[in-house]
Amino acid sequence: MKSLLILYSVLFILLLTGCGGKSTDDQANTTNRKELPADVISITKPLIGGQLYDEASFEGATITSFESSQDLQVIDTSDVIFTKVRVKKEEKEYVGFIPKAILPE
């Protein structure tokens, strides 16, 4: 009986120590977040490729296009339909608007 109690105690301690620390992914995300410009809310990838517009309207001029594999830096989400983002493409940064519908929730 005493050996079972010791065994359960050791397993409990191992379980607590295994779950207590941050994972390496969390640490990497924290590190990446510190390197972001102050105006960036988050980084995401679009569900599909699309166009970056110069204003929060589908009738705005297209600044550049982007693919679903590109990271988008979210800057402002206050508009109902559009999100203001920064796109890095070919060593340049572009700031404009994309529809919220193409971003993951």
Side-chain angles (χ1 to χ4, degrees):
M1 184 68 154
K2 195 172 189 177
S3 62
L4 266 177
L5 182 61
I6 293 171
L7 177 66
Y8 286 134
S9 297
V10 169
L11 288 174
F12 181 71
I13 291 170
L14 288 174
L15 180 65
L16 286 178
T17 57
C19 295
K22 280 189 169 183
S23 72
T24 55
D25 290 339
D26 290 343
Q27 291 170 351
N29 288 340
T30 302
T31 303
N32 288 341
R33 177 69 179 138
K34 290 178 185 175
E35 297 170 0
L36 294 177
D39 63 343
V40 176
I41 298 170
S42 66
I43 294 180
T44 188
K45 291 188 185 300
L47 300 172
I48 59 172
Q51 304 297 318
L52 184 71
Y53 299 104
D54 67 342
E55 60 184 68
S57 168
F58 289 111
E59 296 177 12
T62 299
I63 298 172
T64 189
S65 60
F66 55 89
E67 299 175 7
S68 60
S69 62
Q70 285 182 274
D71 285 334
L72 304 177
Q73 296 178 356
V74 177
I75 298 172
D76 184 12
T77 60
S78 60
D79 191 85
V80 176
I81 299 174
F82 289 88
T83 298
K84 187 174 185 180
V85 299
R86 181 179 296 121
V87 177
K88 290 186 179 184
K89 185 175 179 183
E90 299 172 358
E91 307 286 326
K92 291 185 179 180
E93 289 185 349
Y94 301 94
V95 177
F97 298 88
I98 62 168
K100 285 184 176 180
I102 65 171
L103 295 176
E105 291 184 30

